[in-house]
Amino acid sequence: MAAPANDAEEISEAEEEEHKLPPHPTTPQQKSRKDYAPPPYLIANVDLDFDLREEACTVTSRLTVTPNYGQLPAGAAPPPLVLDGRKDVKLVSVAVAGRKLEAGEYQLTDKTLTLSGLPEGEFGVEVVTELKPQDNTLLEGLYKSSGNYSTQCEAEGFRGITYFLDRPDVMAKYTTRIEADAAAYPVLLGNGNLKETGQADGGRHYAVWVDPYPKPCYLFALVAGKLAMKERHFTTCSGRDVTLRIFVQERNLGKADQALESLIHAMKWDEDTYGLEYDLDLFNIVAVDDFNMGAMENKSLNIFNSSRVLASPATATDLDYSRLEGVVGHEYFHNWTGNRVTCRDWFQLTLKEGLTRYRDQEFTSDMNSRAVKRIEDVMLLRASQFTEDGGPMAHPVRPDSYIKMDNFYTLTVYNKGAEVVRLYETLLGKAGFRKGMDLYFQRHDGQAVTCDDFRAAMADANGVNLDSLGVWYGQAGTPHLHVRTAYDGISQTYTLTCRQRTPPTPGQPDKRPVLIPIRLGLLGPDGSDLPLRLRHKDGSVEDLGTTGVLRFETAEASFTFVEVGPAEPVPSLLRGFSAPVKLEVEGQTDEHLYFLLAHDSDPFNRWESGQRLARKLLMRMYHAAAAAAPAANSADGGHEAAAANGLQGDELRARVELACAAFGGVPDSLVEAYRAVVTDPALDGSFKAMAMSLPTLNELMEGVEGGADPPLLHACRLALSRALAGVLRPELQAAVKDNSDPPEQPYRYAADACARRALKNRALALLSTLEDPAITAELLRRFREATNMTDEIAALGCLVELSGPEREAALTAFYDKFTHDPLVLLKWLGLQAGSNAPGNLERVRALTSHPAFNISNPNNCYALLLGFSHSPAHFHAADGSGYAFLADAVLKVDGINHQVAARLVAPFSSWRRYDPPRQALMKAQLQRILEAPRLSENVFEIASKSLKAA
Ligand code: TRP
Ligand code: ZN
């Protein structure tokens, strides 16, 4: 049977032709998944020698090259060997089969070194290059950070070190010799096992590392520097002792324990859950301040952004702790899903990232509250991945083309990819999923494979056909699932009629149905789950227990349940968010939602019902406020959202409150539902905190037809918070009181302690919107008396949104307290960046020249510049000043670091979600970015594709 996935692929291929990009001075080349061909040569062994010196570093690379071109036609010469490079990598010499080549015997361009006239069979190549890591601001390849050397090779950074076949299907065994000044760089780390160390002339020393496992070059790493270390040990399930080390700057040694603790949890979890054991005697983690992403899974030498791996109660929040655990787990889990089994080509990135993200999500679920973790993951997916999937950069979890691979480390590849992996688990069950994983490793250990190989292992291990899951890999866009329900009181049957549609995305106008597993329950009149008895076409009845999974894979289908009883049940659909879709239940009333919020046995859907109620009300508020005073200049009575354009602060607030009052304000039933949640003693505090959080602004924006006015939407969200806090003040204050710990109680990162803080701080945040002087004073007191960062930043976060002297007092006190801790100052920058306080753009502008801000450091750019884009009031200011500010920043950062600059363009990509005047302003900035001279390929790709979809 032909895999349906193929049809989906044909569509995108046909469309690709029309999908041409505007011109760029250096005409970047798109790479296409369809063009994959195995390399003509492989590399069996790599012997690297790094001579690290202050002026320049010399890298000598000795390769054992083997032919992979098959039988040559009679008399034909071997094909050329084209090695990848980068223009800042100076070629010193190249030798083939022991003979140094003269200039003219090889071809060198900015990007490649081509060797021809090669011998048949295996031969050696020696490449000597010279690098200036101290000038490498891209942070790809070999660079210096805080005086130490480190590397980042994924995706295509190894070519920034030496000329090489820089592609993941070339897997080699590596030996690395590192030599450096012994006093300045006492620690020398590489992949694998430490084989030898020794002294060299001139106060220098060296180390030789041997990695016994073949790996693609993107997993290569080296670190040389002055670093302090902490060590622990882990005994694996087969009784081997593994030494675990974390290396940090001396001053951060007190923040290193949690990473080792989390690593041990992760190692144990992977053994218990998947039978996966660590495969070397040494595992190293290094914290680096200048790092483009969160962390990197280099074989046995994981390198982390210091903001992701360092934590102490006084400097890190509960959220930081839980992220740390997730990221440490993520990188560790890559040892099997990514390193032992890797990707054949970069289009397959989700093979390792979607799967490893799924694994880290499951790890975190098992360590903490499963329900809360699921809610958090779905919130992120909806707020950010759905936006990506509905915008001009929409791409399938397995993309069809790219200019710069770095631009495809996206929420789609990672988080939607993880949802796709979760579909297998939902369909096969935990045990079936495990069987599939076992077969995957049995078949592919040591190989570079594709997403199809993963699907085949899952299918074969379970003896089922999973071809229809293939469509999820090839098709972009968030599917819409529409369900109509019908109860027949006479036959006591209940029928769900499901329809699905995936909207067109750039390059993919026509979509196919996808396989949607619908996990569901039916609630009886007393709120308990009814037995699910599904009637099949042939008349047979299948018993699904009280939570079943329907397999919906056509454009439309009906499912009928029998013996549902004398009353119409209330459906609880897509329990646990069993597929990454947008669900609409026709005829779902507020009464249904209140009923589910009170009774659903599925905690995810309890939360979801509350979100739906809040979303409906917020949309009503928004439309009422937008319509309150039609814009004078919209001739056709036109675009209602534009009506409030330009209103700010108190005026905007008054507008929203008037409009809201006109339809009776917040209904009592909603207030009562929230009251029930806050006061329910049976509910976990973290769950309550989630249930008391309103849908994110990003998620709400998706729901506004014709484009949203972000300041107005934000004002509505704030007005609802204020209204709820006004009526529930006694309950919220009780929650604060009951969940406050005495100051002498030491901080613990544990589920129960986090739950108390989460509920308390959520209640405080709601109360803070009242802008009551007594509450504001209490916030300031709590800020001053906080004994951990979670409480401190929670209070500060509330104060920053308020105007008045408390705001400045708190910000100044915080800065004075943490002047010497750049990681904590990231929070300080971030809070100010995203603030909606009047006149805040000027403050953000001033911060760009504050000593706490360093534009060459990615974390600083993300906190302040990207952080600014989170301010609905100022980034989306009606006069376009916020957009101009970010575009200026993009251009400035692009001169330093292309990957970071490209990430700063993302807020412009979603221009279509906003009202027409804002759309025009955002597109104008994209145009301006594109017209800038010497634009990087990274920024070019995002900006041009964003505009192209106009
Ligand atoms: N593979 C890394 C991870 O998922 C991602 C990563 C780290 C990365 N650094 C990078 C990707 C630099 C591109 C460029 O954990
Ligand atoms: Zn990863």
Side-chain angles (χ1 to χ4, degrees):
M1 178 191 148
N6 293 341
D7 301 28
E9 286 160 10
E10 301 315 323
I11 294 166
S12 54
E13 199 179 17
E15 290 308 313
E16 218 152 82
E17 273 307 289
E18 301 172 27
H19 206 53
K20 290 271 155 57
L21 299 168
H24 176 268
T26 57
T27 54
Q29 292 292 300
Q30 290 245 36
K31 291 201 182 85
S32 262
R33 186 163 63 82
K34 294 289 174 206
D35 296 340
Y36 175 82
Y41 292 93
L42 294 173
I43 299 173
N45 278 290
V46 181
D47 196 327
L48 293 167
D49 190 320
F50 286 82
D51 189 30
L52 303 178
R53 293 178 191 266
E54 297 307 318
E55 336 68 73
C57 299
T58 305
V59 183
T60 304
S61 163
R62 295 180 191 90
L63 311 175
T64 309
V65 180
T66 60
N68 190 42
Y69 43 74
Q71 195 64 47
L72 284 176
L81 171 59
V82 184
L83 301 174
D84 303 295
R86 200 165 81 187
K87 64 170 179 289
D88 58 334
V89 177
K90 183 173 156 196
L91 181 67
V92 177
S93 69
V94 51
V96 172
R99 188 180 68 84
K100 195 171 154 184
L101 304 187
E102 303 296 328
E105 286 189 286
Y106 57 85
Q107 279 106 49
L108 189 63
T109 71
D110 272 359
K111 291 184 166 180
T112 56
L113 168 61
T114 303
L115 308 176
S116 12
L118 296 166
E120 287 187 39
E122 182 178 295
F123 58 93
V125 170
E126 185 189 271
V127 180
V128 180
T129 53
E130 199 180 277
L131 313 173
K132 291 195 183 299
Q134 65 277 19
D135 297 338
N136 181 358
T137 59
L138 297 175
L139 314 183
E140 292 173 77
L142 178 68
Y143 64 94
K144 276 192 118 173
S145 170
S146 311
N148 300 322
Y149 291 99
S150 66
T151 55
Q152 172 54 43
C153 295
E154 188 177 6
E156 297 180 330
F158 194 73
R159 64 187 63 181
I161 295 175
T162 181
Y163 290 88
F164 197 77
L165 286 176
D166 190 354
R167 45 186 291 168
D169 55 355
V170 173
M171 297 175 82
K173 287 193 183 172
Y174 285 70
T175 299
T176 309
R177 184 183 184 280
I178 312 162
E179 188 189 302
D181 184 85
Y185 310 99
V187 174
L188 304 175
L189 303 174
N191 308 107
N193 300 311
L194 180 58
K195 192 181 135 209
E196 189 188 334
T197 57
Q199 304 302 313
D201 291 345
R204 295 170 66 79
H205 71 156
Y206 70 88
V208 180
W209 292 81
V210 180
D211 185 354
Y213 293 99
K215 64 169 179 283
C217 64
Y218 82 84
L219 291 171
F220 168 83
L222 152 174
V223 169
K226 197 174 268 176
L227 294 161
M229 184 266 280
K230 281 215 171 181
E231 179 177 305
R232 286 181 67 176
H233 287 262
F234 180 77
T235 307
T236 70
C237 50
S238 72
R240 282 188 305 105
D241 175 74
V242 184
T243 304
L244 314 175
R245 291 187 177 142
I246 177 164
F247 293 86
V248 302
Q249 290 166 59
E250 180 79 47
R251 62 184 170 85
N252 289 326
L253 208 55
K255 297 184 183 178
D257 296 305
Q258 188 62 36
L260 289 174
E261 181 73 19
S262 297
L263 176 59
I264 289 170
H265 292 165
M267 295 177 86
K268 179 77 169 66
W269 184 87
D270 220 11
E271 291 183 347
D272 293 348
T273 314
Y274 291 105
L276 295 172
E277 186 182 358
Y278 186 59
D279 54 4
L280 286 163
D281 301 332
L282 187 60
F283 188 89
N284 289 323
I285 286 177
V286 181
V288 171
D289 290 336
D290 302 285
F291 202 76
N292 286 342
M293 307 261 289
M296 180 63 210
E297 71 265 23
N298 316 299
K299 184 76 186 188
S300 78
L301 179 52
N302 287 1
I303 299 182
F304 282 69
N305 187 323
S306 55
S307 74
R308 284 281 172 274
V309 76
L310 300 176
S312 71
T315 60
T317 61
D318 293 342
L319 186 63
D320 293 327
Y321 272 84
S322 96
R323 279 203 192 131
L324 184 158
E325 187 161 69
V327 180
V328 167
H330 180 98
E331 305 312 327
Y332 173 74
F333 301 144
H334 268 315
N335 190 53
W336 280 96
T337 49
N339 301 4
R340 290 286 290 255
V341 182
T342 194
C343 301
R344 185 192 72 174
D345 55 77
W346 287 121
F347 297 102
Q348 316 297 326
L349 182 64
T350 200
L351 172 75
K352 75 175 178 82
E353 295 304 349
L355 178 55
T356 305
R357 172 56 41 87
Y358 163 79
R359 274 151 56 70
D360 81 55
Q361 290 175 347
E362 284 298 291
F363 169 56
T364 304
S365 296
D366 286 344
M367 297 294 119
N368 304 287
S369 156
R370 174 163 289 271
V372 170
K373 174 62 177 162
R374 189 66 188 135
I375 291 167
E376 287 169 352
D377 288 340
V378 173
M379 277 179 93
L380 175 66
L381 195 78
R382 282 187 177 146
S384 304
Q385 197 279 324
F386 281 15
T387 304
E388 192 169 271
D389 230 354
M393 278 298 290
H395 52 278
V397 299
R398 177 163 66 185
D400 290 316
S401 60
Y402 63 81
I403 294 175
K404 284 299 282 185
M405 188 54 210
D406 307 318
N407 285 333
F408 287 84
Y409 287 74
T410 58
L411 277 150
T412 298
V413 167
Y414 276 65
N415 291 45
K416 185 176 182 180
E419 293 301 323
V420 171
V421 171
R422 198 172 288 281
L423 298 178
Y424 293 92
E425 191 220 276
T426 302
L427 293 167
L428 302 171
K430 277 232 186 299
F433 187 79
R434 168 70 195 264
K435 274 199 251 169
M437 290 289 276
D438 289 349
L439 185 60
Y440 176 63
F441 295 119
Q442 197 181 312
R443 279 184 181 170
H444 300 300
D445 187 12
Q447 299 177 3
V449 304
T450 67
C451 299
D452 301 318
D453 294 318
F454 179 78
R455 193 164 70 252
M458 283 286 157
D460 295 351
N462 289 280
V464 295
N465 186 324
L466 294 174
D467 288 351
S468 55
L469 278 183
V471 185
W472 282 103
Y473 289 88
Q475 204 165 266
T478 308
H480 291 246
L481 170 61
H482 180 280
V483 180
R484 203 175 64 230
T485 61
Y487 171 66
D488 182 339
I490 297 172
S491 61
Q492 301 200 350
T493 57
Y494 192 67
T495 300
L496 302 176
T497 304
C498 306
R499 275 187 285 124
Q500 63 165 299
R501 189 186 76 89
T502 302
T505 51
Q508 293 187 332
D510 301 310
K511 305 284 186 171
R512 292 168 46 87
V514 291
L515 166 53
I516 302 177
I518 306 176
R519 184 180 277 131
L520 85 167
L522 297 178
L523 277 68
D526 65 349
S528 65
D529 282 328
L530 299 173
L532 299 176
R533 298 180 48 76
L534 178 67
R535 186 169 68 203
H536 289 291
K537 296 263 163 345
D538 62 4
S540 65
V541 171
E542 189 186 353
D543 195 340
L544 298 181
T546 53
T547 292
V549 178
L550 302 175
R551 212 181 138 114
F552 174 47
E553 52 189 320
T554 49
E556 186 168 337
S558 296
F559 302 89
T560 297
F561 294 93
V562 298
E563 297 163 44
V564 294
E568 176 162 1
V570 175
S572 167
L573 302 174
L574 221 62
R575 282 186 160 171
F577 200 63
S578 60
V581 302
K582 293 184 183 173
L583 169 67
E584 190 196 330
V585 186
E586 196 178 302
Q588 184 174 54
T589 62
D590 285 1
E591 286 63 39
H592 287 154
L593 292 170
Y594 286 121
F595 189 73
L596 291 170
L597 177 57
H599 300 293
D600 202 323
S601 64
D602 180 57
F604 177 83
N605 267 2
R606 272 189 91 167
W607 169 82
E608 171 75 345
S609 308
Q611 295 288 299
R612 281 178 184 258
L613 286 162
R615 206 182 302 150
K616 277 169 116 177
L617 177 61
L618 283 162
M619 283 301 132
R620 258 182 97 188
M621 290 169 69
Y622 177 82
H623 290 298
N633 59 357
S634 65
D636 54 351
H639 193 267
E640 57 174 28
N645 231 319
L647 282 190
Q648 284 185 7
D650 293 343
E651 276 179 314
L652 194 56
R653 175 170 167 173
R655 156 80 66 89
V656 170
E657 277 167 7
L658 258 178
C660 187
F663 67 80
V666 180
D668 292 344
S669 44
L670 189 69
V671 174
E672 289 319 313
Y674 273 84
R675 197 194 312 275
V677 168
V678 198
T679 53
D680 185 345
L683 285 177
D684 166 70
S686 319
F687 180 84
K688 287 189 192 184
M690 300 308 293
M692 285 156 44
S693 302
L694 299 180
T696 64
L697 196 70
N698 265 342
E699 185 190 325
L700 293 168
M701 218 95 80
E702 295 260 300
V704 181
E705 295 273 322
D709 172 340
L712 182 64
L713 195 52
H714 172 70
C716 291
R717 217 171 154 264
L718 205 56
L720 178 54
S721 294
R722 201 179 290 124
L724 289 170
V727 230
L728 297 175
R729 185 168 177 157
E731 287 82 0
L732 293 171
Q733 280 174 328
V736 171
K737 188 161 161 283
D738 296 347
N739 291 282
S740 293
D741 295 323
E744 63 279 7
Q745 181 137 322
Y747 173 90
R748 276 185 313 126
Y749 175 65
D752 59 326
C754 293
R756 288 169 62 79
R757 286 187 288 268
L759 177 53
K760 173 189 63 184
N761 289 325
R762 182 70 209 127
L764 277 171
L766 277 169
L767 288 167
S768 76
T769 60
L770 293 173
E771 299 182 31
D772 178 315
I775 292 170
T776 307
E778 180 181 351
L779 282 170
L780 188 60
R781 181 182 61 75
R782 286 186 171 269
F783 166 74
R784 291 208 168 109
E785 293 171 5
T787 56
N788 60 72
M789 183 52 78
T790 306
D791 290 342
E792 195 167 358
I793 211 77
L796 182 61
C798 296
L799 291 168
V800 165
E801 281 303 305
L802 305 174
S803 44
E806 293 85 357
R807 177 177 203 265
E808 294 311 314
L811 282 169
T812 307
F814 193 84
Y815 180 73
D816 290 345
K817 183 170 169 190
F818 294 107
T819 314
H820 302 294
D821 193 328
L823 290 184
V824 179
L825 289 185
L826 293 174
K827 300 181 194 302
W828 182 80
L829 289 172
L831 278 183
Q832 293 177 83
S835 167
N836 296 297
N840 199 54
L841 171 59
E842 282 325 303
R843 177 188 282 265
V844 173
R845 211 189 288 285
L847 283 171
T848 60
S849 43
H850 191 282
F853 178 74
N854 170 7
I855 197 170
S856 303
N857 173 269
N859 292 342
N860 275 249
C861 294
Y862 300 146
L864 188 64
L865 306 174
L866 206 53
F868 175 68
S869 76
H870 301 147
S871 164
H874 300 298
F875 178 58
H876 294 289
D879 65 359
S881 54
Y883 302 146
F885 171 79
L886 188 65
D888 288 345
V890 165
L891 295 175
K892 190 148 184 217
V893 174
D894 200 36
I896 301 167
N897 185 320
H898 308 329
Q899 281 186 38
V900 175
R903 286 186 181 265
L904 298 182
V905 186
F908 291 118
S909 297
S910 49
W911 56 265
R912 216 187 329 206
R913 295 195 310 174
Y914 307 107
D915 54 38
R918 288 185 172 85
Q919 290 191 4
L921 291 166
M922 293 179 100
K923 282 192 282 184
Q925 293 303 333
L926 282 169
Q927 194 61 51
R928 203 186 123 217
I929 290 171
L930 275 177
E931 282 160 10
R934 290 179 301 281
L935 202 62
S936 69
E937 292 184 338
N938 302 59
V939 169
F940 171 77
E941 178 168 35
I942 308 270
S944 63
K945 288 183 175 173
S946 296
L947 261 189
K948 175 74 193 341

